[in-house]
Amino acid sequence: MFRRTFIALTAATALAAPAFADGHSKDIVDTAVGAGSFTTLVAAVQAADLVDTLKGEGPFTVFAPTDDAFAALPEGTVETLLLPENKDQLVAILTYHVVPGKVMSGDIAGKKMDVKTVNGGMAMVDAMSGVTIDGATVVQADIEASNGVIHVIDAVILPK
């Protein structure tokens, strides 16, 4: 009896998983908040008034720096960028981390290309061996959200 229940439960879970994968209920912002390792990024998105945009329909591909990536910036950089008088610079940096459309890691595997970011700048993506964007390494890929995908990166990238 236990074995039959276990097999049925396992089969039901396996069949339900793809349904959940396609029906992501959290948008990019809520997914980032829920992860717990993007508090600085979320604070910056709020300071830049980009929350509604990143909760919008999308789809978006976000290269999301972790809290450790922000902490690696020179001392005082984050605090300075969060000041209201630096909002335009903050928006430029944050939108440089976003590419229009939903780009999964499999879409770019084995390629090296320039991609146009939401701020209009071009970033270099190298997926020949692992994946980097402007030298920042993707440490976790393909975190799906209802309006796009997040790729976690280990550094903050800056527009040229």
Side-chain angles (χ1 to χ4, degrees):
M1 175 72 171
F2 175 75
R3 182 171 182 235
R4 197 173 336 152
T5 304
F6 178 75
I7 291 170
L9 180 61
T10 303
T13 303
L15 293 174
F20 286 119
D22 291 334
H24 306 287
S25 61
K26 291 184 177 180
D27 58 50
I28 287 173
V29 174
D30 292 339
T31 300
V33 168
S37 57
F38 302 108
T39 55
T40 306
L41 177 60
V42 171
V45 166
Q46 291 169 336
D49 290 329
L50 292 173
V51 172
D52 288 342
T53 301
L54 291 175
K55 283 180 152 296
E57 187 176 321
F60 305 106
T61 299
V62 176
F63 292 92
T66 62
D67 290 337
D68 289 341
F70 279 102
L73 292 171
E75 189 175 330
T77 301
V78 173
E79 294 79 9
T80 300
L81 286 171
L82 293 176
L83 295 173
E85 60 266 25
N86 296 323
K87 181 179 173 183
D88 290 344
Q89 185 180 9
L90 181 61
V91 168
I93 291 169
L94 292 175
T95 57
Y96 189 69
H97 288 79
V98 182
V99 174
K102 183 177 179 180
V103 183
M104 303 299 286
S105 60
D107 298 333
I108 59 169
K111 299 177 184 174
K112 188 175 186 177
M113 69 195 92
D114 286 321
V115 294
K116 188 169 187 169
T117 66
V118 169
N119 87 346
M122 300 298 285
M124 170 56 74
V125 173
D126 184 345
M128 300 299 286
S129 176
V131 180
T132 63
I133 180 165
D134 280 359
T137 301
V138 174
V139 294
Q140 185 177 359
D142 299 340
I143 301 170
E144 293 190 72
S146 63
N147 61 344
V149 62
I150 297 171
H151 302 294
V152 181
I153 56 176
D154 66 353
V156 177
I157 56 175
L158 301 173
K160 297 164 188 68

